[in-house]
Amino acid sequence: MSLSRGLHRAPRRALVAVGVLSAALALSACGGDGNGTSGGGNTNYVTSKGGISTVPKGERAGINTIAGETLDGEKLDVADLKGKVVVLNAWGSWCGPCRAEASHFTKVANDLKDEDVAFVGLNTRDANKQQALAFEADYKVPYPSLYDPKGKLILFGFPKGTLSLQGIPSTVVLDKEGKIAARSLMAVDETKLRSMIDPLLKEK
């Protein structure tokens, strides 16, 4: 293959990759499987009637790299939060269910600010940061969000076959060892969010 032909093909591959990312997010946007099931992989998790999937301690997998720049321009790596229960929430300012759950996330985050819990948002498909920042201001969100406009962190941040962020909104909670412990593929209220976090705070 000539060098010129290779150079022409490389951008084409990049465009295809971006297209796949956009299509995947479009299909999952503002949706989610209400029963919390996930396709593919050897998953050893249990799904409750409320649509929250959990993995028993000892059978949990770690995440891939979830790191980057926040909406405020700060650097953040979820791996640095090990030792705390970490709540990861995928959201967009354009998403109605995200608005419905935002006040619940704000309340629980404030209630648990003195506990070993960290909240991290993953903001996606907001081409303009200002819209996302306005959303955070409206709901007085007290924690940072990684800016992930193309959804790369959401799609590639979790090993295949694990409980991953899929729809928008969706939430994954990591235990204190940084392992994937619980997930919801729908908007959650305060009660459901606490039901994902509280058992992990009690683990030793």
Side-chain angles (χ1 to χ4, degrees), residues 163-199:
L163 296 180
S164 59
L165 293 172
Q166 291 183 10
I168 314 295
S170 59
T171 301
V172 164
V173 183
L174 310 179
D175 64 19
K176 293 181 181 181
E177 297 178 356
K179 303 291 183 65
I180 302 166
R183 179 189 67 183
S184 173
L185 293 179
M186 64 184 77
V188 295
D189 59 16
E190 179 184 352
T191 300
K192 287 186 176 180
L193 185 55
R194 289 296 295 254
S195 76
M196 299 169 72
I197 299 169
D198 291 347

Side-chain angles (χ1 to χ4, degrees), residues 97-166:
C98 299
R99 290 191 289 273
E101 71 175 7
S103 60
H104 298 286
F105 273 81
T106 294
K107 184 178 188 309
V108 175
N110 285 328
D111 287 348
L112 297 177
K113 64 182 179 181
D114 296 324
E115 302 289 338
D116 289 330
V117 181
F119 284 71
V120 177
L122 279 82
N123 171 256
T124 190
R125 293 183 65 203
D126 271 314
N128 186 337
K129 274 189 180 182
Q130 294 308 311
Q131 294 172 328
L133 288 168
F135 178 103
E136 290 191 327
D138 287 344
Y139 291 99
K140 299 179 172 60
V141 177
Y143 52 85
S145 282
L146 288 165
Y147 186 49
D148 187 28
K150 294 182 179 178
K152 291 183 179 180
L153 296 178
I154 294 171
L155 289 172
F156 301 129
F158 301 85
K160 185 177 180 180
T162 61
L163 296 180
S164 59
L165 293 172
Q166 291 183 10

Side-chain angles (χ1 to χ4, degrees), residues 66-67 75-84 86:
I66 300 179
K75 296 295 183 183
L76 189 154
D77 188 337
V78 172
D80 294 336
L81 301 174
K82 191 173 291 186
K84 297 183 177 183
V86 179

